[in-house]
Amino acid sequence: MQRGGGQEAGRAAAPGQAAASAAPTDGDSGTPGSRPRYPRFRLGDSRSGDPEPAPPRASARFPDTAPTVGTPPRRPGAPAQTPTETTTRLRPVPAETEDEPTPEPASRTHVPTPRPDPAFSWGTPDPDPPASPAGVRPRVSFGEPEGYDGLARPRRLGGRPRPQALAAAVCLVLGVGLLTGAVTGSWLAGDSGDDGARSAYTEAGELWHSVPVDELFPPTVQGKGAGPGGADRTWTRVAVAPDGACAGAFDRLLAKVLDPVGCARLLRATYTDATQSHVTTVGLLFTKADAAAMTSLAGRFEKEGLGRRTDLVPLPYAAEHTVAEGFGARQRASWTVSVLTDAPVVVYAVSGWADDRTVDVPEPAEEAVESGATSAPAQAGLGHEAKGLADRVERALRKNVGAPTEHPS
């Protein structure tokens, strides 16, 4: 029985002790009703009589209630949502709603817009400009103009020049240098292209006293292919007239035509053919005119046809005791006149028969040498005589231009 009474006493005391131990204490004083500063934790034992620990607080991992899928919590003031399609992460996609216009406030304070300062603005004039004091001019500023190039691009002001401009400047400098060098070289040399042409022209005008007569009028002249039908001709000189003035050497009308170029010297010689059937006088008239006057005279002969007029036929030179002794004005059968423009010389020739036969109407050599001409001078080949001999003498004249006047012995 004692054993059983002890057990009852222990059971009775146990609740009291548990109550005493469960009461909180304040610090170490053990005052009831206060939490202990350092609570003591003991490991639970299934065999002990301590109560089970409290469950953990609700959290995302351990919610108190099961989550509702697709139903997020509703924010205060937000419109009710309708069931919509969700994403793979189960987030709701709200339906598109039109944006509601934001209502404007009932009252808005009007803020005046500032106007630009006219002093710093070019295109915005001041509607109420202040009046300038008397005698003071208003201050006006102008913007720097903008230029444009040929491609409508803004031209750069200042800075480095363009490569095109540098190339043009270099070419200009080189061109000026070359031109200056050429002019200086010509000046140092003492002549130029024009001076060379003038010296040749002047030299040709002085051949009458610097070239021997046998070179101007060779004793024998070969005319290969100069006869009718391309036949060869050979002319032999029978007389040379003394050089002198032109007085009495031409008819009055022809002398008047030649008067503008003047007469410096007249040289003449008479030839005969191999058969001595024909006689021809060839002459060189050295004039006093310049190249312009000779060109004008040549143009007049060509334009007015003076070389075909029968009243402008040169006179022959009839030398005594030769086959040309009776060769006078009435025996003139064909003629030619050539006015040179690169030398102050007029070359002419007139031909006739050696038996003193007279001719009523002479025929120009240009017409007598034509194929099919039926006149007596043309049939006799007198046109070929005058033209062929004049051409050979002109060639000899040009050959002596620029040749040395003195020959070695």
Side-chain angles (χ1 to χ4, degrees):
M1 293 304 291
Q2 187 177 357
R3 184 177 180 179
Q7 292 176 354
E8 292 294 330
R11 292 176 182 176
Q17 291 178 359
S21 62
T25 61
D26 187 8
D28 295 337
S29 62
T31 305
S34 62
R35 296 181 59 183
R37 176 176 296 181
Y38 303 102
R40 297 177 182 178
F41 298 95
R42 292 181 300 175
L43 296 174
D45 191 356
S46 60
R47 293 177 299 177
S48 64
D50 294 340
E52 295 181 359
R57 297 176 60 184
S59 64
R61 297 184 58 187
F62 302 96
D64 292 339
T65 59
T68 302
V69 179
T71 308
R74 182 179 178 183
R75 293 178 297 175
Q81 298 182 356
T82 58
T84 57
E85 181 183 357
T86 60
T87 63
T88 58
R89 296 184 63 183
L90 303 180
R91 290 186 299 175
V93 180
E96 297 183 358
T97 58
E98 297 182 356
D99 298 337
E100 297 180 359
T102 303
E104 296 182 358
S107 62
R108 177 181 294 177
T109 305
H110 177 69
V111 180
T113 303
R115 292 182 298 175
D117 189 355
F120 298 98
S121 178
W122 177 263
T124 307
D126 191 359
D128 300 326
S132 301
V136 178
R137 299 179 61 184
R139 179 180 179 182
V140 179
S141 62
F142 295 89
E144 187 174 2
E146 184 179 15
Y148 293 88
D149 59 6
L151 300 178
R153 296 176 299 186
R155 184 181 293 110
R156 295 182 299 177
L157 300 178
R160 299 178 61 185
R162 294 181 180 271
Q164 295 86 348
L166 291 176
V170 171
C171 293
L172 178 62
V173 172
L174 292 177
V176 172
L178 292 175
L179 181 61
T180 304
V183 173
T184 304
S186 299
W187 177 72
L188 293 176
D191 60 353
S192 62
D194 295 341
D195 293 339
R198 283 194 296 267
S199 62
Y201 183 89
T202 304
E203 182 181 355
E206 297 175 353
L207 292 178
W208 63 273
H209 64 77
S210 60
V211 178
V213 63
D214 288 345
E215 294 185 10
L216 294 178
F217 300 122
T220 303
V221 178
Q222 299 294 333
K224 187 175 182 180
D232 295 338
R233 279 287 190 268
T234 300
W235 297 283
T236 303
R237 188 182 67 191
V238 295
V240 175
D243 60 295
C246 298
F250 303 102
D251 290 336
R252 183 177 58 85
L253 189 57
L254 181 58
K256 184 178 180 180
V257 172
L258 299 175
D259 186 65
V261 295
C263 178
R265 213 68 171 177
L266 177 62
L267 304 181
R268 294 176 296 174
T270 300
Y271 288 83
T272 185
D273 63 337
T275 62
Q276 297 186 357
S277 301
H278 310 126
V279 288
T280 304
T281 298
V282 60
L284 297 175
L285 170 62
F286 290 85
T287 68
K288 301 178 181 179
D290 56 5
M294 295 298 295
T295 302
S296 177
L297 180 62
R300 184 182 178 187
F301 264 81
E302 181 67 22
K303 182 178 180 180
E304 301 180 10
L306 301 181
R308 298 174 180 269
R309 290 178 51 173
T310 58
D311 54 349
L312 298 178
V313 181
L315 291 174
Y317 171 65
E320 296 181 356
H321 310 295
T322 64
V323 293
E325 185 175 2
F327 187 28
R330 296 188 60 186
Q331 282 75 33
R332 294 175 295 184
S334 184
W335 83 99
T336 183
V337 178
S338 176
V339 180
L340 306 184
T341 57
D342 55 347
V345 179
V346 177
V347 182
Y348 69 90
V350 55
S351 61
W353 280 278
D355 56 0
D356 303 338
R357 189 183 311 178
T358 61
V359 179
D360 296 334
V361 179
E363 184 177 14
E366 288 77 5
E367 298 178 3
V369 297
E370 292 180 359
S371 177
T374 58
S375 63
Q379 293 292 329
L382 292 177
H384 291 83
E385 298 286 332
K387 184 173 178 58
L389 192 58
D391 290 343
R392 270 63 180 180
V393 171
E394 181 179 344
R395 294 177 189 176
L397 174 69
R398 295 181 182 278
K399 183 179 178 181
N400 284 277
V401 175
T405 56
E406 297 182 359
H407 297 277
S409 57

